[in-house]
Amino acid sequence: MYAPERRHQILDALTGSGRVTVTDLAAQYEVATETIRRDLDQLADRGLLARVHGGAIARTTAEVEPDLEARRITNIEAKQRLALAAARLLPSDPHAAVLLDAGTTTGELLPHLDGRRGPVITNAPAIAQGALRHTDLAVHVLPGRVRPATEAAVGAATVDAIRLLHPEVVFLGCNGLGPEGFTTPDPDEAAVKTAMVRSAERRVVLADSSKFGVARLVTFAALTEIDVLVTDAPPAPELHALLLEAGVEVICA
């Protein structure tokens, strides 16, 4: 069976069951598990399914993400306000390492990094490219497979590289925030964000108020794992109380 035919059948199976596993598909098609993983990765890159640990789920049960170009032109002023407020949380030591999560809001931090001498590390090639305009920055790009939807490096290589790092601060984005914690639609991006959270001394999330009360597919950090939330409006009283109880400082830009 040719690969395109196999991938078409995988999508048909997802339509019926909503979930497939690598091991089951490898046995069904009598191919190596690596072959199936490549099939699923290619289908995920085309936005036709969502990868999860050990397999995939139908896109209808996952959250559809707006592409990067759409997000670049959305709420620009709000993102710039969040970045300005977040910049005040940069370490006073100009040689301290700063880790930037992929995203259009975290990317707005770049103008505020002028004059820093420590490494600026990111899993976003677009952020690294933007940092080149600030020629005094020492920019490091994390390895991994780049997701077309977000242009973020993800995968085992990315996670392994982050585990070796100990930056003073990480600035992250999220797609949802509620009692379950900070969430995002894609499991691979969630794994990278979790590794970032666990690697950094201080964890800062930039999220506008549209994310409040929203639960996406995967939780990448519990409320207690984040130190500061920078947002544009106060959360609802119930969520605000949970954040304060978890020790999260809430800053409204």
Side-chain angles (χ1 to χ4, degrees):
M1 178 183 294
Y2 292 112
E5 184 182 0
R6 185 176 60 247
R7 290 167 190 160
H8 181 76
Q9 291 188 13
I10 289 172
L11 291 175
D12 286 343
L14 274 174
T15 302
S17 65
R19 176 181 290 268
V20 293
T21 69
V22 171
T23 52
D24 287 348
L25 291 173
Q28 178 181 344
Y29 294 110
E30 299 181 341
V31 296
T33 56
E34 278 305 312
T35 299
I36 296 299
R37 290 192 182 95
R38 285 194 296 270
D39 286 342
L40 298 181
D41 286 343
Q42 290 194 22
L43 291 169
D45 287 345
R46 292 163 56 194
L48 300 175
L49 54 76
R51 289 285 269 122
V52 296
H53 181 69
I57 59 176
R59 201 58 176 164
T60 53
T61 64
E63 295 295 335
V64 177
E65 300 169 272
D67 62 32
L68 196 63
E69 286 305 316
R71 287 185 287 123
R72 280 188 178 124
I73 60 174
T74 303
N75 298 329
I76 296 174
E77 290 185 4
K79 292 172 182 178
Q80 291 173 341
R81 290 199 308 273
L82 296 187
L84 177 61
R88 301 187 183 108
L89 304 174
L90 285 163
S92 57
D93 179 2
H95 295 92
V98 176
L99 180 57
L100 294 182
D101 181 23
T104 54
T105 306
T106 51
E108 292 293 339
L109 274 164
L110 285 178
H112 305 288
L113 298 179
D114 273 335
R116 300 199 66 84
R117 295 293 180 265
V120 176
I121 309 156
T122 183
N123 68 322
I127 289 179
Q129 183 70 26
L132 292 177
R133 293 193 294 271
H134 305 269
T135 55
D136 56 336
L137 294 180
V139 183
H140 301 256
V141 186
L142 293 166
R145 173 179 62 87
V146 178
R147 291 188 66 228
T150 58
E151 297 183 12
V154 298
T158 316
V159 172
D160 288 346
I162 294 168
R163 285 174 178 159
L164 298 176
L165 301 175
H166 304 285
E168 280 77 0
V169 63
V170 60
F171 295 95
L172 304 117
C174 74
N175 300 82
L177 167 57
E180 62 286 326
F182 297 83
T183 60
T184 196
D186 184 76
D188 288 337
E189 292 219 25
V192 170
K193 290 175 184 287
T194 296
M196 289 181 168
V197 167
R198 293 175 179 173
S199 73
E201 183 177 328
R202 195 176 196 201
R203 292 72 55 95
V204 180
V205 171
L206 287 68
D208 65 68
S209 54
S210 69
K211 313 295 173 55
F212 298 162
V214 175
R216 299 307 188 195
L217 181 63
V218 188
T219 298
F220 66 85
L223 298 181
T224 54
E225 294 180 290
I226 299 301
D227 298 301
V228 184
L229 169 66
V230 181
T231 186
D232 60 342
E238 298 83 358
L239 179 57
H240 202 173
L242 288 174
L243 288 164
L244 294 179
E245 183 180 350
V248 180
E249 178 185 0
V250 179
I251 296 175
C252 291

